[in-house]
Amino acid sequence: MPEMRRRGLLIILSSPSGAGKSSLAKRLMAWDATMRFSVSATTRAPRSGEVDGRDYYFKSREGFEEMVAAGEMLEHAEVFGNLYGTPRAPVEARLAEGHDVILDIDWQGGQQVRRSVLAQDVVSIFILPPTIADLEARLRMRAQDSDEVIAGRMAKSRDEISHWGEYDYVVVNRDLEISEAELRVILQAERARAVRQPGLTEFVRGLNREFENR
Amino acid sequence: MPEMRRRGLLIILSSPSGAGKSSLAKRLMAWDATMRFSVSATTRAPRSGEVDGRDYYFKSREGFEEMVAAGEMLEHAEVFGNLYGTPRAPVEARLAEGHDVILDIDWQGGQQVRRSVLAQDVVSIFILPPTIADLEARLRMRAQDSDEVIAGRMAKSRDEISHWGEYDYVVVNRDLEISEAELRVILQAERARAVRQPGLTEFVRGLNREFENR
């Protein structure tokens, strides 16, 4: 019911690196321009060309930790000595405006968001590769990394994949076109859920007024 | 993932009479010929042309009540002195074979099925009419009923509509084409749910074997 303003969905997309998650996220945003990609906060230094608020929200460690203490991070983690996290306020604002928000986070972030104040808005989707050979080939294609780096990534992938069962939906990404269609179907169905359509309450009130005036 | 045998969905379709539920159920069966419509049991006498096991399972009152006592009815109710219900065994068999099964039942039946042993298979969808004027027009078109009969149906409709919030999904049936498309999307998404794809466990085991053999 497009004429009723609905609250946005908080879409958790997780997958091992190389399974096509970023390509699928971009395709979803191209399909529906009202969707928003969540911008992470980080304590690492900006790289050349990176813009605060677009690529990341750049924070001091103290500033970041204060946000965590104040419950202003939906999820966060330390990676190689830097903190990364998802600030709650911008996500909440977009959802209230009716934008679906995509979170590209791993299983640990997913668990934190599912336990957060925004749990009711969450739709979680795990992208699996068709084969591990395929996953490794995509990782090797992407960068000329050493075998050690690749081995580390593959170990992390295996750990990530072991959490597929915690997600609402699972898509095996054999083909980007088909997987995109599956994701679109999932999002369209989630938008039709009764709990996602607060406008229905008013709509049914209207039907009841009609009953009374018969 | 069509190559993995999945368990069927138990689709509860409820709506006030005249909202287009039967037309939509027929369209779904035409869209996917593997779907099955649940056949009800009843204690009322067969009418001319009705076939046992196709139109209804015709039962004696004793036979029906024994089935209820043995937990062999997913839901049942008494209407104008006759018992009606959904036998569990045929539904369970179809679900195990991978067929989605449509139950055309009211909110009271819906509540019973949601509390039944098949609760995990349930996808519940409520069809709302766009307006009450529209609902009444369809009821009047369908049969030359007296105003009293129409008034009784409308009162039942109002009661039925008051339960929309108990359903997973709500579709406002303004147009059969559009509503059918919405229902298809809902079913496709539900089939992609992790819990609906028992084959995924074996699939991920395969990925893990690949990790081990690298």
Side-chain angles (χ1 to χ4, degrees):
Chain A
M1 297 188 297
E3 77 282 24
M4 292 174 195
R5 180 102 159 257
R6 66 176 177 87
R7 194 171 156 82
L9 304 171
L10 185 51
I11 303 158
I12 299 178
L13 269 189
S14 298
S15 81
S17 167
K21 177 178 51 175
S22 304
S23 307
L24 287 169
K26 275 185 206 126
R27 279 167 174 257
L28 285 179
M29 313 264 292
W31 163 60
D32 179 352
T34 71
M35 299 183 75
R36 297 287 177 268
F37 202 81
S38 166
V39 175
S40 297
T42 184
T43 59
R44 81 153 166 71
R47 290 174 193 152
S48 121
E50 284 184 339
V51 176
D52 185 50
R54 185 192 72 185
D55 300 293
Y56 282 96
Y57 297 105
F58 293 102
K59 303 274 172 198
S60 66
R61 180 166 277 265
E62 297 71 34
F64 194 112
E65 285 171 349
E66 275 168 23
M67 288 181 73
V68 171
E72 289 175 30
M73 288 289 179
L74 287 175
E75 56 86 31
H76 70 284
E78 182 143 4
V79 182
F80 298 125
N82 293 307
L83 290 165
Y84 293 84
T86 302
R88 183 173 54 79
V91 170
E92 271 195 325
R94 295 303 87 70
L95 296 178
E97 290 160 6
H99 295 287
D100 294 341
V101 176
I102 301 180
L103 295 186
D104 174 352
I105 54 181
D106 69 6
W107 68 268
Q108 300 181 71
Q111 287 191 350
Q112 293 177 54
V113 175
R114 265 189 231 100
R115 291 175 196 142
S116 76
V117 291
L118 299 182
Q120 289 217 308
D121 300 309
V122 167
V123 176
S124 64
I125 308 171
F126 198 90
I127 314 289
L128 281 171
T131 64
I132 299 308
D134 186 89
L135 191 73
E136 184 164 356
R138 289 196 227 179
L139 275 185
R140 288 191 185 275
M141 217 161 48
R142 194 189 283 180
Q144 297 297 344
D145 289 320
S146 68
D147 281 358
E148 284 79 9
V149 170
I150 295 283
R153 295 231 168 114
M154 294 302 280
K156 188 170 182 324
S157 291
R158 187 172 183 175
D159 176 48
E160 189 70 23
I161 287 173
S162 71
H163 291 274
W164 69 272
E166 299 163 18
Y167 288 73
D168 298 325
Y169 298 95
V170 174
V171 171
V172 179
N173 185 25
R174 292 184 175 81
D175 175 282
L176 280 174
E177 293 282 339
I178 295 171
S179 298
E180 181 196 346
E182 287 186 21
L183 291 175
R184 282 155 61 164
V185 153
I186 290 166
L187 299 184
Q188 287 172 299
E190 284 288 335
R191 291 169 181 176
R193 283 195 168 262
V195 291
R196 311 283 188 212
Q197 300 184 66
L200 276 175
T201 305
E202 188 46 46
F203 179 76
V204 173
R205 248 182 235 134
L207 294 182
N208 276 324
R209 277 192 296 271
E210 243 192 299
F211 273 118
E212 275 151 28
N213 298 332
R214 276 180 71 241
Chain B
M1 296 188 297
E3 76 282 23
M4 294 174 193
R5 179 100 159 259
R6 65 175 177 87
R7 194 171 157 82
L9 304 171
L10 185 51
I11 303 158
I12 299 177
L13 268 189
S14 299
S15 80
S17 167
K21 177 178 52 176
S22 304
S23 307
L24 287 169
K26 275 186 206 125
R27 278 167 175 257
L28 285 180
M29 313 263 292
W31 163 61
D32 180 351
T34 71
M35 298 183 77
R36 296 288 178 268
F37 202 82
S38 166
V39 175
S40 296
T42 183
T43 59
R44 82 153 165 74
R47 290 174 192 151
S48 122
E50 283 185 339
V51 176
D52 185 50
R54 185 193 69 184
D55 299 294
Y56 283 96
Y57 296 106
F58 294 102
K59 303 276 173 198
S60 66
R61 180 165 277 266
E62 298 69 35
F64 194 111
E65 285 171 347
E66 276 168 22
M67 288 181 72
V68 171
E72 288 175 30
M73 289 288 179
L74 287 176
E75 56 86 31
H76 71 284
E78 183 144 1
V79 182
F80 298 126
N82 293 308
L83 291 165
Y84 293 83
T86 303
R88 183 172 54 78
V91 170
E92 271 195 325
R94 294 303 87 71
L95 296 179
E97 290 161 7
H99 296 286
D100 294 341
V101 177
I102 300 180
L103 295 185
D104 174 350
I105 54 181
D106 70 5
W107 68 268
Q108 300 181 71
Q111 287 190 351
Q112 293 176 56
V113 176
R114 267 188 228 101
R115 290 174 196 145
S116 76
V117 291
L118 299 182
Q120 289 217 308
D121 300 309
V122 167
V123 176
S124 64
I125 307 172
F126 199 89
I127 314 290
L128 280 173
T131 64
I132 299 309
D134 185 89
L135 191 72
E136 184 164 356
R138 290 197 226 180
L139 275 184
R140 288 190 185 274
M141 218 160 47
R142 195 189 282 181
Q144 297 297 345
D145 288 320
S146 68
D147 281 359
E148 283 79 10
V149 171
I150 295 284
R153 295 230 168 115
M154 293 302 281
K156 188 171 183 322
S157 291
R158 188 172 182 175
D159 176 48
E160 188 70 24
I161 287 174
S162 72
H163 292 273
W164 69 273
E166 298 163 19
Y167 289 72
D168 297 326
Y169 298 94
V170 174
V171 171
V172 179
N173 184 26
R174 292 185 175 82
D175 174 284
L176 279 174
E177 292 283 338
I178 295 172
S179 299
E180 181 197 345
E182 287 186 21
L183 291 175
R184 283 154 62 163
V185 152
I186 289 167
L187 300 184
Q188 288 173 298
E190 284 289 335
R191 292 168 180 177
R193 282 193 170 262
V195 290
R196 311 284 188 210
Q197 301 184 64
L200 276 175
T201 305
E202 187 45 48
F203 179 77
V204 173
R205 249 182 234 133
L207 294 182
N208 276 323
R209 277 191 296 272
E210 243 193 298
F211 273 119
E212 273 150 29
N213 298 333
R214 277 179 71 239

